[in-house]
Amino acid sequence: NITTSSNIWPNLSQYWIPSLYIWNPADQMYHIVPTFSKTYYRLRGTREGANPIPHNLRFLIGDASRTIPFTEGEPRDSIKWTFTTGGPTPSGDKIFKRGGQNPEKNGDWEFLKANPQAVYDYFVTGRGQLEMNMNFPNCLAVDAQGKPILDSADHRSHGTYADRRDPWCPPEFPYRIPTVNLEARYEVKKMVSRLGADVVTNLDNWFLSTGDNSG
C-alpha cells in the first residue's frame, strides 16, 4: 500500500513535522494540539530554465535538536511561525501575520511571549491557528552528467535557496525546481475549552515533540 502525509491524493510525498503539546499543570499531562498541513508547489520567477521536481528527492530543513531562539542575522532555513491569514485582526497581527513579517525579528515564539495580549486576542477570541511555514531549497547540485543530486550525507548540502532575481540559482546549484511550501497548522484555539485560556495562552506550557519550548 502506498501512503502519503499529504492531504491531497494522489500526492504521494512524505512530510514530517513536529507535534505541538500544551502542558497542563493541573493534571500534570501534555495534551496534543490538533494539526493539519497543506503543501504548495510554487515556481518563483519565470518558467525559463526551470525543471520539474525529480522523483525521490530528499531534504531536511530546520534543526530538531535546537531549543533556543535564533538571533537576528544568524543563518537559518526558510522556516517561520505565523498567525494564519483570515479571521479578525488581533493586536500584533500586523507584525506576526504571514505577509509582512520579518522572520529574523519575530519568526519564533519569542515575539508571542513578549506580546501576551496578541496571544490572547488571536488564540482565544480570534482565528486561533498557529502556522509553521516552511520552504524547501529550490536549487539542486548536479552530477557529472548534469543530473540533479537527490540526497546527500546530511540530507541538506545537495541544495540551496534561489535568489529573488535572475539568475535564480548559483553556479554550484544550477538545477532550478519549484519551491515546496509546507504549511503546518496547529489548532491552538480548540484547546481553550479543554484546558482553559490561562493554560493555553501561557507559552511556557507549549512544547514541540522535539522537546523545544522556543519555537
Side-chain angles (χ1 to χ4, degrees):
N1 293 331
I2 300 178
T3 60
T4 175
S5 53
S6 172
N7 62 334
I8 301 176
W9 192 91
N11 182 346
L12 300 181
S13 300
Q14 293 281 354
Y15 301 101
W16 179 89
I17 55 173
S19 298
L20 175 64
Y21 292 86
I22 296 179
W23 170 254
N24 183 15
D27 62 13
Q28 296 287 290
M29 294 182 65
Y30 292 95
H31 297 259
I32 192 168
V33 177
T35 307
F36 66 95
S37 65
K38 294 184 177 182
T39 310
Y40 299 91
Y41 302 90
R42 309 179 191 273
L43 184 61
R44 310 293 185 185
T46 64
R47 296 190 178 191
E48 185 177 357
N51 302 280
I53 297 174
H55 292 292
N56 298 318
L57 178 64
R58 295 184 178 186
F59 267 116
L60 283 179
I61 62 171
D63 184 353
S65 65
R66 189 181 180 100
T67 57
I68 59 175
F70 282 90
T71 58
E72 188 172 353
E74 183 180 358
R76 62 192 296 179
D77 291 324
S78 182
I79 302 174
K80 63 182 180 181
W81 294 91
T82 74
F83 293 146
T84 56
T85 55
T89 301
S91 58
D93 185 25
K94 291 182 179 179
I95 300 176
F96 204 65
K97 71 177 182 179
R98 182 192 303 159
Q101 182 199 48
N102 178 354
E104 288 192 354
K105 291 185 177 180
N106 42 53
D108 53 37
W109 297 352
E110 290 303 295
F111 168 79
L112 296 179
K113 291 179 179 179
N115 292 270
Q117 189 61 52
V119 171
Y120 186 92
D121 288 348
Y122 187 72
F123 293 113
V124 178
T125 63
R127 186 174 187 180
Q129 290 180 355
L130 178 70
E131 178 182 276
M132 181 165 56
N133 193 295
M134 297 155 278
N135 291 302
F136 287 78
N138 49 3
C139 294
L140 306 179
V142 297
D143 61 19
Q145 286 75 43
K147 295 182 179 180
I149 297 175
L150 305 179
D151 202 356
S152 52
D154 61 359
H155 310 298
R156 300 172 184 269
S157 58
H158 57 299
T160 191
Y161 292 98
D163 200 346
R164 293 184 178 271
R165 57 189 180 277
D166 194 21
W168 304 99
C169 292
E172 300 84 358
F173 301 91
Y175 196 90
R176 180 170 162 244
I177 60 174
T179 301
V180 178
N181 173 227
L182 179 61
E183 298 176 359
R185 297 190 178 185
Y186 301 85
E187 299 184 282
V188 176
K189 186 175 182 178
K190 290 186 176 181
M191 305 301 290
V192 173
S193 60
R194 181 175 175 181
L195 302 177
D198 289 344
V199 172
V200 172
T201 59
N202 182 353
L203 267 74
D204 289 338
N205 295 327
W206 290 17
F207 290 88
L208 295 175
S209 56
T210 59
D212 181 29
N213 181 239
S214 69

